[in-house]
């Protein structure tokens, strides 16, 4: 990948983040249109995207965002009010910029969409927005344009107009020093110097350095003479000819000198320019003058001013130094910052390697136990390695953790757009956005969460009139919350809508053949029927929540993440979907146990304690109830549940796990101890194995199955309930 | 209003077409020796010719050690023109921000 491609990719990533923030701000402004902080934030986001897009050669984005920036500028100035209509258009524009980011060569349709959206934005803002390309054509005089012709001794390249244009790599980013010294009479032919500077600013990032020294006192001032002059520092992907075009009509009324002074992406090892060097490059002083000034051991600028160099020149050189430094940092990425960007596939690869290392370390530990005898040194090395691998594992896993809030903000937009479409008034509340989850899980959670929220909007929340007739506030509420619970994160989506209709669910389930007519199910079991394959019907699937994905698929997607989906509802009051999602899918701390010679792993975070269980000859049922610490504890026998052959030892152990379905005691033959577990998928063939959620490879190369304690707790509770009834 | 303060109003369109007239009026006001208070509140459009008049007024005030004031509000169009001129000033500071920024340039010795 070429260097510039990396910068362009970095720009795209930064732009996506800015757009995400922009969306959040726009939606906050919909609720609080006068929030100046949010208004400034939206403007800054658009301004940054525009400037960077121009710098990296994304011309269409630059043009598009320039118009939007103008609108937001007027909002910032208080000249425009952010109406809901304008916010809607701006949100569509944000989506369009995302599309433009994804498409390096936008086709005619995309370009036409840009025009449509800008026209809509103009309409919504109550004024015509200039649509790029729609203005009257201007025929430029033909002839060669300016380009870089030679590098001088000091590293600057002088751009002479009317020289033949050479090959120019459009991905090259350069910093130019543009000297724009208008003649006094420039106003006479109608030239507006500030318009030229504005046009130049639209080409990239600029620092405008005015020279005020010729400006007379008021009694000597002639209103129709121009006294100001400028050095303009421009960092842009535009070629010199394009820059020169800006000054095409003022060549006779201004001194124009364009010099290339830096290539930010090629200056990774270069020192930041010194003031003395800049002044020498500009021809203001000689190298000898600078050396002489430095030898006086005073501030260089002061000495040179005393020697006759103008303050304007010194100031301009200082601002050039700062501009070059800033643009280098921006283009190269801020290496002095505390964060770096790493592609997620590199992190995935690191996690895989750490997984292999964990397995190998377990094997080493086992081998050392078997062969080292009393070799204390070998044991110490093995233990030290174990600690290091555990630390490496934790560090690696923490790198993949992201706050869920990054996903939450997307849903705000979803709720906003859908509620408007369905004419419902919905307040969307998010809690616990700072809760972190493995990036892989967050990515996979997005689709089921979208579906559940769509369901809440479409089927849960009633229309305002219906709500008022039911004695509720006209505005409904959907709450999306997340919180840590041991090694899991609980995510809930709750709406204060009409709740689930158990009778309709029962009737539909019977009609679909999912249950028999005579079966008596608890309310919660009936709720769970909506996640059965085939429960979704054409009648239910609306354009909004249907999308061809039923609740069974949602449940499956959650289970594929090792999670569970629970549904709670109260007719007329609420529906709540609770997702219990593991923090990570990759490596967990486990408790290794043995039953009938087979090894199993329990996720350690679920385990409360292990107790002994004496068998007194009689065959125990696969599930029963034990009194423990004054509480009734359902227990389930792993051997019987999984049909493991072999004789039952006289003394077994009960692993007590605390799960979302309550506490459960799981009877195993004996506990071996803690084990770092690299979680491997069971594959499609064993996906439906009840009570098993995955597998891992042990140090000796054998396989241990990972127990789904939550599922076993549910089975135990159901068995107990059946026995009681 | 203090009798020693003269408010000088800039017109809605502060551009080259009116620059000569604005300058003539300002020179006349300057001669009164009263403290001038510049009111830019009505300005909807301003170009470089009038920006120069504004900056020149401050330059003259500094040279003659006269007090020159700016009234709030200062419209965004004025700040935008100053920004394009290369004059670094934060619009949120209003009139005081503008006066402070000009003072800063004067202390640097460039205005």
């Amino acid at each position: 990948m070429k260097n510039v491609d990396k910068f362009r990719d970095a720009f795209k990533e930064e732009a996506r983040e800015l757009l995400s923030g922009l969306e959040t701000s726009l939606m906050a402004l919909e609720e609080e249109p006068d929030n100046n902080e949010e208004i400034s934030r939206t403007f800054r986001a658009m301004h940054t995207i525009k400037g960077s897009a121009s710098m990296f050669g994304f011309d269409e984005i630059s043009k598009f965002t320039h118009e939007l920036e103008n609108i937001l500028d007027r909002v910032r100035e208080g000249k425009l009010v952010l109406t809901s209509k304008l916010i809607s258009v701006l949100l569509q524009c944000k989506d369009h910029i995302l599309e433009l980011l994804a498409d390096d060569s936008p086709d005619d349709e995309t370009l036409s969409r840009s025009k449509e959206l800008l026209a809509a934005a103009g309409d919504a803002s109550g004024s015509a927005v200039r649509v790029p390309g729609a203005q009257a054509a201007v025929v430029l005089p033909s002839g060669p344009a300016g380009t870089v012709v030679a590098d001088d001794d000091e590293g600057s390249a002088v751009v002479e107009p009317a020289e033949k244009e050479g090959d120019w790599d459009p991905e090259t980013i350069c910093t130019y020093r543009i000297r724009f010294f208008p003649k006094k009479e420039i106003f006479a032919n109608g030239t507006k110097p500030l318009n030229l500077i504005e046009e130049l600013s639209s080409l990239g990032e600029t620092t405008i350095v005015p020279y005020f020294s010729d400006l007379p006192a008021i009694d000597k001032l002639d209103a129709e003479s121009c006294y100001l002059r400028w050095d303009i520092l421009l960092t842009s992907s535009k070629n010199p000819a394009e820059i020169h075009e800006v000054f095409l009509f003022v060549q006779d009324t201004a001194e124009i000198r364009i010099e290339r002074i830096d290539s930010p992406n090629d200056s990774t090892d270069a020192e930041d320019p010194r003031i003395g060097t800049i002044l020498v490059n500009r021809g203001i002083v000689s190298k000898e003058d600078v050396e002489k000034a430095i030898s006086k051991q005073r501030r260089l600028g002061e000495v040179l001013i005393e020697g006759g160099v103008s303050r304007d020149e010194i100031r301009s050189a200082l601002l050039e130094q700062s501009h070059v430094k800033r643009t280098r940092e921006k283009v190269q990425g801020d290496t002095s910052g505390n964060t770096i960007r790493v592609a997620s596939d590199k992190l995935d690869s690191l996690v895989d390697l750490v997984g292999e290392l964990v397995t190998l370390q377990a094997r080493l530990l086992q081998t050392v136990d078997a062969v080292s005898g009393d070799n204390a040194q070998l044991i110490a090395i093995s233990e030290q390695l174990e600690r290091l691998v555990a630390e490496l594992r934790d560090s690696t896993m923490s790198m993949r953790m992201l706050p869920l809030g990054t996903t939450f903000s997307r849903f705000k937009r979803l709720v906003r757009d859908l509620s408007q479409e369905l004419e419902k008034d919905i307040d969307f509340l998010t809690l616990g956005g700072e809760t972190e989850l493995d990036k892989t899980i967050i990515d996979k959670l997005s689709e089921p969460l979208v579906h559940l929220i769509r369901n809440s909007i479409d089927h849960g929340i009633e229309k305002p009139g219906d709500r008022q007739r039911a004695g509720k506030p006209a505005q409904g509420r959907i709450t999306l919350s997340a919180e840590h619970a041991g090694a899991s994160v609980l995510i809930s989506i709750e709406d204060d809508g009409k709740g689930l209709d158990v009778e309709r669910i029962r009737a539909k389930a019977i009609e679909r053949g999912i249950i028999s007519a005579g079966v008596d199910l608890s309310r919660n079991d009936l709720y769970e029927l909506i996640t059965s394959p085939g429960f979704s019907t054409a009648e239910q699937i609306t354009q909004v929540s249907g999308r061809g994905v039923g609740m069974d698929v949602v449940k499956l997607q959650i289970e594929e993440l090792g999670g569970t989906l629970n549904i709670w509802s109260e007719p007329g009051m609420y529906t709540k979907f609770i997702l219990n999602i593991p923090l990570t899918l990759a490596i967990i701390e486990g408790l290794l146990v043995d039953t009938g010679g087979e090894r199993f792993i329990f996720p350690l975070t679920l385990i409360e304690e292990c107790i002994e269980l004496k068998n007194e000859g009689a065959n125990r049922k696969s599930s029963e109830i034990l009194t423990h610490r004054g509480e009734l504890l359902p227990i389930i026998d792993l051997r019987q549940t999984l049909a493991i052959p072999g004789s039952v030892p006289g003394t077994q152990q009960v692993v007590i796990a605390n799960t979302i379905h309550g506490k459960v005691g799981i009877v195993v033959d004996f506990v071996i101890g803690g084990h770092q577990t690299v979680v491997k998928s069971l594959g499609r063939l064993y996906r439906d194995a009840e009570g098993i959620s995955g597998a891992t490879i042990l140090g000796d190369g054998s396989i241990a199955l990972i127990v789904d304690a939550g599922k076993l707790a549910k089975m135990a509770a159901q068995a107990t309930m059946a026995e009681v009834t | 209003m203090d009798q020693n303060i003269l408010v000088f109003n800039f017109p809605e369109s502060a551009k080259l077409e009116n620059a000569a007239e604005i300058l003539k009026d300002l020179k006349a006001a300057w001669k009164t020796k009263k403290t001038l208070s510049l009111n830019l509140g009505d300005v909807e459009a301003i170009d470089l010719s009038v920006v120069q008049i504004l900056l020149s007024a401050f330059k003259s005030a500094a040279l003659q050690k006269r007090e020159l004031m700016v009234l709030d509000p200062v419209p965004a169009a004025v700040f935008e023109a100053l920004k394009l001129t290369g004059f670094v000033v934060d619009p949120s500071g209003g009139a005081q921000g503008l006066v402070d920024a000009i003072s800063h340039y004067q202390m640097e010795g460039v205005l």
Side-chain angles (χ1 to χ4, degrees), chain A residues 179-296:
Chain A
R179 177 148 285 197
F180 175 35
F181 280 13
K183 291 181 182 168
K184 277 191 175 177
E185 61 271 23
I186 193 169
F187 293 149
N189 66 359
T191 302
K192 296 181 185 308
L194 295 189
N195 289 6
L196 300 181
I197 295 174
E198 187 175 22
E199 198 176 338
L200 209 54
S201 299
S202 72
L203 300 182
E205 182 157 340
T206 50
T207 298
I208 304 162
V209 189
Y211 284 48
F212 299 112
S213 53
D214 288 351
L215 185 69
I218 200 147
D219 52 336
K220 303 267 170 42
L221 190 77
D222 170 15
E224 290 171 0
S225 292
C226 180
Y227 298 97
L228 299 193
R229 299 172 297 155
W230 292 271
D231 280 340
I232 298 153
L233 301 153
L234 167 70
T235 303
S236 170
S237 60
K238 302 294 176 197
N239 69 41
E242 288 172 283
I243 296 167
H244 209 275
E245 268 181 22
V246 173
F247 300 102
L248 208 56
F249 299 107
V250 293
Q251 292 186 36
D252 297 334
T253 48
E255 177 196 335
I256 310 292
R257 185 180 167 88
I258 302 171
E259 293 169 272
R260 192 182 64 202
I261 55 168
D262 192 40
S263 299
N265 46 13
D266 295 335
S267 310
T268 44
D269 299 324
E271 276 185 20
D272 290 329
R274 291 168 186 272
I275 294 297
T277 313
I278 294 171
L279 289 167
V280 171
N281 284 347
R282 289 174 168 222
I284 307 295
V285 290
S286 67
K287 277 184 185 170
E288 291 73 31
D289 291 337
V290 172
E291 279 161 17
K292 214 157 86 184
I294 289 171
S295 70
K296 292 190 177 172

Side-chain angles (χ1 to χ4, degrees), chain A residues 60 96 100 106-116:
Chain A
E60 183 57 25
H96 184 63
L100 291 172
D107 57 16
D108 288 348
E109 199 181 326
T110 309
L111 297 179
S112 147
R113 175 78 177 138
S114 297
K115 287 179 186 175
E116 278 171 27

